[in-house]
Amino acid sequence: MSVELRDLRKAFGHVTALDDVSLTIAPGEFLALLGPSGSGKTTLLRVLAGLEFPDSGEVVIDNRSMHGVPARQRGVGFVFQHYALFRHMTVARNIAFGINVRPRHRRPKAREIRARVQSLLDLMEIGHLGQRYPEQISGGQRQRVALARALAIEPKLLLLDEPFGALDAKVRKNLRIWLRMLHDKMGLTSIFVTHDQTEAMEMADRIAVLRSGRIEEVGPPAKLYAEPASIFVHEFLGESVRFSGTVADGRMRVDALPDVGTATCSPSGPAVALIRPHEIGLLPGPGPARCERQETLGPLRRTRISVLDQAFDVLTPDGMWTPAVGQTCRLDLTRARVYPAADDRPG
Amino acid sequence: MNRRATQESPAARVALVTLTILLLLILLLLPLVVVFSEALMRGFGAMVDSLAETDSIAAIRLTMIVAAVTVPLNAVCGVAAAWCIGRFRFPGRGLLVTLIELPFSVSPVISGLVWVLLFGANGWLGPILNRAGMHIIFAVPGLILATTFVTFPFVARTLIPLMEHQGAAEEEAALTLGASGWQTFWRVTLPNIRWGLLYGVLLCNARAMGEFGAVAVVSGHIRGQTMTMPLQVEALFNDYDWVGAFTIAGLLSLLALATLAVKASLEWRIGQRSEALL
Amino acid sequence: MRIAQRSALPGFAPSFAVTLVWLSLIVLIPLAALALRPWELGVLGVWRSVTEPRVVAALRLSFGTAALAAAINVPIGLLIAWVMVRYRFYGRNLADSLIDMPLALPTAVAGISLTALFAPKGWIGALLVPLGIKVAYTPLGILVALIFVGLPFVVRTLEPIIMDLPLEAEEVAATLGARRAQIVARIVLPALLPALLAGFGAALARGVGEYGSVIFIAGNMPMISEIAPLLIVIRLEQLDYAGAAALGLVMLLASFVILLLLNLLQRRMIVHA
């Protein structure tokens, strides 16, 4: 099932939640909407489900415009952030709800419904919990019930709003892998909202990074990490060390390190160079950088470097040369990515 | 000394608690005790005899009728008000809440007066309706209207904070699962607010049966016809029939006690006290 | 025309319509009659009607006694609310229900039972006779009745505020060497002042309009123990609708003005707290 978002705009009063969002999601894809809080990702998900209406623009699901189609007729599975389980119903009745509210001629027999609920419970590995109430089960179990309830209506498109937000770290990690496998097994198209970049990197086929209601960049996690198109995406996905400087004649010169230069095709003028801690090279010899501290973390060594008023960590494989504490060294920043400083909008 | 800084000294605590209990007993419990003691003054038989009087039975019947009409009407409209105020944002929402609560801040006598101004012999609509043979003031419809006015806010005022607190997520979940508006209301909303609704209805009913000032103004005090129980209490009291007056007062007190007991258990269930005072 | 911001939840229009129609029929139209009918007398007539000596005496009695009763209820209510929130004692749940008694007990019942209690031969009245205090059938009786009906308003207004008082503030004060009495006077009471005022206002508003619990014990002597609501009833019985409406309107407006002023005062206090 393909999904297409065309020029979506939505404002709440004076606050712009979605600002000209366009995006295409391929059938079978697992897409993460990633962004800081208030970036519009939940609004986007709710617009897709028909719980919120865009001021302009269009949602097209499976080549059918959703304009004027109410939530109840979209057949989209939605997993709410705090699960929104019906607290007065048992787990089994929660899961059966979407089938039970169908018109009589489209409703299967009671026995069939029961069998379907049980198979969903089994699929979620909570087969024994059918007769419990939501308040009697754990957070991770509730998450699975919410998922089973959404899947009971056999949606082709599954939307998940911060599905792991309310769970503790260990449960979260297990559920992530399990959910991704479920997605593949059932042939779903899934879109999930998260503010956790590790989660997005681990699970998604593609990540759409949102910022102030706009899509900043869309792409596979590895590409977004290795070649982020903007300063914002670079700093939002993974750790970054930042140097400011100037580009002239195709070379970036860092203010703090006049003798360090990086070739770039960025236009001349004030610029920002960003580099990941493991991409920084440490070279022996007298230089402006000084080693402050050093730790070995298993296969890696973390070296705390200070340069003038700036301090940052460098990660190197254990066994590579690093300066001793107090020793100075030179830096190799050739792997840095250079962006025009004008792109550096806050927020 | 292991007393915490946020506590009074042990002696002070005992004194405060004792004083509180004494105050509660004298100020609040004693009037209740007096009711039953006066009703039983001439023994149990006299009490039962006074209840068997036709006027008393008529008053009890009329009170039931008034409550049976008023409470369901206000319950349905209270749920409607709670749905539109608790689930939607619209301009004038705050004003609507204020208007709904208005009857709470109006004197009972004024709550009756307004109906006389409309439907009384010198009222705006009274003469026209009287010519058509319809009587509202000094008749049962007037009692119902006055009681409806007085009990108007109870259900809405209980449900609005409850629905706001619960949020709309479960209803939205039902919609995404394919439920229609009515299915969502009957299967999700109503079960979630049922104890709160019962609470509001309970308070509404207690006030409907016990209201005095508003109905006193519109009743006309026709014995056996327009006398609710509280009005009958007044009539008997003014006739120096103390046993009769306190017997019906005793019945109303039992209603009050039952209301308080159910109220306490509902508060435990919904985990909060309603913002609507009786 | 769309009134509410568009929502996925259905049912706004019908529920809004039901609410508005019901509100108009039951509350707004009748209150409009109250606002409009007095003017049949003309402006001067309304003025004369509400400045009759008997009316002025009744209004002064109603507002004055209600204010006094509310003021007496403030310390009593504070004590009860404090003990109910801070202490656990045997019978506390029962006591909690008892506080609602004046609200649950029909006013006519409260009226006759207070009368029976405070009549010269009553349980309490008999004790007061030797002291020369007469409660029933005097303005003092009105005061007693208004204390009874107003108490829950003060207690219920204070309880949630006391519950939310940060214990840390009291603990910090203690670590700084304050004695318990100083803590109560300098930390606790100032924090409760706005709520005390709100409770006072709620009890006052209830007392001004109170009818059922008062008329039995008041004696209802014109100029002495005749409350304003009773005067409305008397005017209605004389078919003086406009005069009754004028008095009702004055009472309502005066209550609103007082509540508004108390509200403003309360806000100032919160800002300066």
Side-chain angles (χ1 to χ4, degrees):
Chain A
M1 178 175 285
S2 69
V3 178
E4 217 187 318
L5 310 177
R6 292 182 191 147
D7 310 321
L8 290 176
R9 286 172 192 275
K10 169 83 185 171
F12 297 104
H14 299 294
V15 183
T16 307
L18 295 178
D19 187 5
D20 205 7
V21 171
S22 295
L23 186 63
T24 306
I25 298 123
E29 195 173 10
F30 200 120
L31 179 97
L33 295 175
L34 177 66
S37 61
S39 58
K41 47 196 194 311
T42 294
T43 305
L44 187 55
L45 208 65
R46 289 172 60 85
V47 165
L48 268 166
L51 294 173
E52 217 69 79
F53 303 95
D55 298 334
S56 67
E58 197 177 19
V59 174
V60 178
I61 298 178
D62 219 10
N63 298 319
R64 186 168 155 230
S65 168
M66 287 293 121
H67 185 79
V69 180
R72 55 184 290 241
Q73 286 168 14
R74 293 197 179 186
V76 168
F78 198 108
V79 176
F80 287 77
Q81 187 174 4
H82 300 288
Y83 320 131
L85 296 179
F86 306 127
R87 63 197 100 175
H88 61 284
M89 294 182 198
T90 60
V91 164
R93 297 226 12 232
N94 260 282
I95 297 172
F97 184 89
I99 308 172
N100 280 329
V101 295
R102 282 183 194 168
R104 185 157 310 198
H105 63 276
R106 281 183 47 223
R107 203 184 309 155
K109 292 206 177 60
R111 192 151 38 86
E112 272 173 64
I113 298 178
R114 235 175 293 137
R116 182 114 128 246
V117 167
Q118 192 54 50
S119 75
L120 274 165
L121 283 168
D122 293 338
L123 182 67
M124 300 294 144
E125 299 161 6
I126 46 173
H128 57 296
L129 296 180
Q131 294 315 308
R132 302 271 193 91
Y133 282 88
E135 59 178 20
Q136 297 169 324
I137 60 180
S138 73
Q141 290 166 337
R142 278 179 214 168
Q143 168 68 60
R144 288 168 190 249
V145 175
L147 201 55
R149 185 178 68 175
L151 293 175
I153 60 168
E154 296 174 318
K156 292 280 177 356
L157 175 63
L158 184 63
L159 307 175
L160 307 110
D161 187 4
E162 298 269 2
F164 313 113
L167 300 174
D168 59 55
K170 196 175 160 216
V171 181
R172 189 187 287 219
K173 191 137 183 111
N174 289 335
L175 268 174
R176 261 185 220 163
I177 301 161
W178 176 82
L179 178 63
R180 177 65 223 224
M181 282 164 57
L182 189 78
H183 162 96
D184 294 340
K185 190 159 81 182
M186 297 191 68
L188 293 166
T189 304
S190 305
I191 302 176
F192 84 109
V193 157
T194 181
H195 63 265
D196 180 337
Q197 39 126 339
T198 332
E199 205 166 279
M201 304 271 291
E202 238 183 78
M203 294 175 67
D205 296 322
R206 280 196 307 157
I207 297 175
V209 180
L210 268 87
R211 176 197 194 187
S212 316
R214 290 181 149 273
I215 292 191
E216 191 82 8
E217 193 176 358
V218 191
K223 180 172 178 295
L224 254 56
Y225 184 79
E227 304 160 31
S230 68
I231 299 175
F232 177 79
V233 175
H234 197 294
E235 293 193 324
F236 197 74
L237 281 181
E239 280 186 58
S240 302
V241 180
R242 162 196 278 255
F243 299 96
S244 44
T246 321
V247 173
D249 306 328
R251 275 188 81 75
M252 159 92 180
R253 298 228 161 258
V254 176
D255 295 340
L257 310 160
D259 59 333
V260 179
T262 305
T264 176
C265 42
S266 192
S268 297
V272 172
L274 292 168
I275 189 165
R276 311 268 179 216
H278 67 271
E279 294 169 333
I280 302 173
L282 299 175
L283 305 170
R290 196 181 114 93
C291 173
E292 300 289 343
R293 210 152 53 97
Q294 210 164 54
E295 292 128 4
T296 305
L297 313 158
L300 291 176
R301 178 170 300 169
R302 181 162 67 196
T303 310
R304 184 86 182 151
I305 297 289
S306 67
V307 178
L308 296 179
D309 57 346
Q310 203 176 350
F312 49 87
D313 287 334
V314 176
L315 290 173
T316 46
D318 195 19
M320 292 264 288
W321 178 88
T322 52
V325 174
Q327 205 179 354
T328 61
C329 66
R330 290 187 298 125
L331 296 177
D332 173 11
L333 300 181
T334 46
R335 293 174 70 189
R337 286 158 290 265
V338 179
Y339 304 88
D343 283 2
D344 192 17
R345 294 171 288 136
Chain B
M1 193 170 84
N2 59 4
R3 170 159 70 97
R4 294 183 40 196
T6 49
Q7 290 175 345
E8 282 72 30
S9 70
R13 300 184 61 177
V14 171
L16 288 179
V17 172
T18 314
L19 190 57
T20 298
I21 293 176
L22 270 175
L23 276 171
L24 289 176
L25 290 181
I26 294 171
L27 272 176
L28 304 181
L29 191 63
L30 205 53
L32 191 69
V33 176
V34 167
V35 170
F36 293 109
S37 134
E38 293 285 342
L40 290 165
M41 191 168 52
R42 300 254 159 73
F44 196 73
M47 194 179 78
V48 174
D49 288 345
S50 77
L51 261 188
E53 303 251 344
T54 48
D55 285 355
S56 300
I57 293 174
I60 295 172
R61 240 178 60 110
L62 182 58
T63 301
M64 302 274 189
I65 291 171
V66 169
V69 177
T70 306
V71 175
L73 276 175
N74 273 337
V76 169
C77 294
V79 170
W83 180 262
C84 78
I85 292 168
R87 284 291 175 263
F88 298 92
R89 293 283 170 274
F90 52 92
R93 188 171 166 273
L95 179 68
L96 191 60
V97 175
T98 310
L99 290 178
I100 286 174
E101 291 177 3
L102 200 55
F104 273 162
S105 45
V106 172
S107 166
V109 168
I110 295 176
S111 312
L113 165 71
V114 291
W115 296 105
V116 179
L117 296 179
L118 283 178
F119 296 118
N122 285 351
W124 279 346
L125 303 172
I128 303 169
L129 291 175
N130 283 351
R131 244 173 280 137
M134 284 175 66
H135 297 277
I136 291 180
I137 300 306
F138 303 162
V140 177
L143 297 174
I144 289 173
L145 287 172
T147 308
T148 307
F149 181 100
V150 169
T151 56
F152 185 85
F154 281 107
V155 173
R157 184 123 196 246
T158 310
L159 290 184
I160 291 169
L162 183 66
M163 288 183 65
E164 280 180 344
H165 175 76
Q166 287 180 345
E170 287 183 43
E171 278 123 4
E172 289 178 343
L175 290 181
T176 64
L177 293 169
S180 69
W182 275 118
Q183 284 174 323
T184 304
F185 177 76
W186 285 108
R187 298 183 184 211
V188 177
T189 309
L190 205 56
N192 273 339
I193 61 170
R194 63 188 189 280
W195 297 118
L197 180 60
L198 192 58
Y199 188 99
V201 164
L202 182 82
L203 301 195
C204 184
N205 179 66
R207 183 68 189 267
M209 291 190 161
E211 178 53 33
F212 177 71
V215 291
V217 173
V218 298
S219 149
H221 300 92
I222 309 168
R223 299 219 174 183
Q225 286 182 37
T226 62
M227 301 284 273
T228 60
M229 288 165 77
L231 296 174
Q232 187 72 12
V233 168
E234 180 197 25
L236 294 171
F237 188 80
N238 290 341
D239 289 350
Y240 301 103
D241 179 358
W242 278 43
V243 171
F246 278 102
T247 300
I248 297 186
L251 276 187
L252 288 167
S253 306
L254 289 179
L255 172 75
L257 286 172
T259 301
L260 288 181
V262 179
K263 180 171 173 283
S265 81
L266 283 177
E267 271 161 11
W268 175 77
R269 248 181 213 285
I270 58 181
Q272 65 180 70
R273 197 188 294 282
S274 166
E275 287 178 28
L277 289 173
L278 264 163
Chain C
M1 192 183 78
R2 193 170 283 288
I3 302 170
Q5 187 156 42
R6 196 169 166 205
S7 162
L9 292 176
F12 174 74
S15 62
F16 185 71
V18 166
T19 307
L20 214 56
V21 168
W22 193 236
L23 181 71
S24 305
L25 288 180
I26 295 298
V27 179
L28 300 183
I29 293 174
L31 283 178
L34 180 74
L36 295 179
R37 291 228 38 181
W39 311 109
E40 291 166 8
L41 299 173
V43 177
L44 204 67
V46 170
W47 177 252
R48 244 185 255 128
S49 153
V50 298
T51 49
E52 271 178 31
R54 190 172 164 190
V55 173
V56 173
L59 284 172
R60 191 182 293 148
L61 180 70
S62 276
F63 280 92
T65 320
L68 188 58
I72 293 171
N73 267 332
V74 164
I76 300 177
L78 175 61
L79 168 71
I80 293 174
W82 184 264
V83 168
M84 292 304 294
V85 173
R86 287 290 175 96
Y87 297 153
R88 295 290 167 269
F89 54 93
Y90 190 73
R92 183 179 166 279
N93 288 334
L94 217 58
D96 187 54
S97 284
L98 206 54
I99 290 169
D100 284 333
M101 180 57 71
L103 299 171
L105 202 65
T107 53
V109 177
I112 64 167
S113 92
L114 288 173
T115 309
L117 261 182
F118 286 95
K121 285 186 186 160
W123 293 351
I124 297 180
L127 300 176
L128 298 176
V129 168
L131 305 174
I133 302 173
K134 214 171 159 295
V135 176
Y137 318 121
T138 70
L140 204 54
I142 304 176
L143 186 69
V144 168
L146 294 186
I147 291 174
F148 177 78
V149 295
L151 184 59
F153 289 90
V154 179
V155 177
R156 294 305 188 212
T157 309
L158 281 170
E159 274 178 341
I161 310 296
I162 296 177
M163 223 173 283
D164 287 348
L165 277 184
L167 281 176
E168 287 91 344
E170 291 172 54
E171 284 168 351
V172 166
T175 63
L176 296 174
R179 280 178 294 110
R180 183 66 196 156
Q182 288 175 314
I183 295 174
V184 171
R186 299 203 184 174
I187 309 285
V188 176
L189 283 181
L192 289 180
L193 214 52
L196 288 169
L197 207 58
F200 173 83
L204 172 70
R206 170 70 193 252
V208 167
E210 184 55 35
Y211 180 68
S213 58
V214 174
I215 53 157
F216 296 98
I217 201 172
N220 305 326
M221 299 266 294
M223 307 298 294
I224 296 169
S225 61
E226 185 178 60
I227 53 168
L230 180 62
L231 212 49
I232 293 180
V233 175
I234 291 170
R235 283 188 165 177
L236 274 183
E237 280 168 1
Q238 297 162 347
L239 295 182
D240 177 11
Y241 284 16
L247 184 47
L249 191 60
V250 165
M251 279 181 63
L252 207 56
L253 291 180
S255 297
F256 279 143
V257 168
I258 292 174
L259 285 183
L260 198 69
L261 288 177
L262 285 175
N263 211 327
L264 288 178
L265 194 63
Q266 204 182 325
R267 267 189 214 171
R268 273 181 68 99
M269 270 182 202
I270 291 172
V271 170
H272 290 280

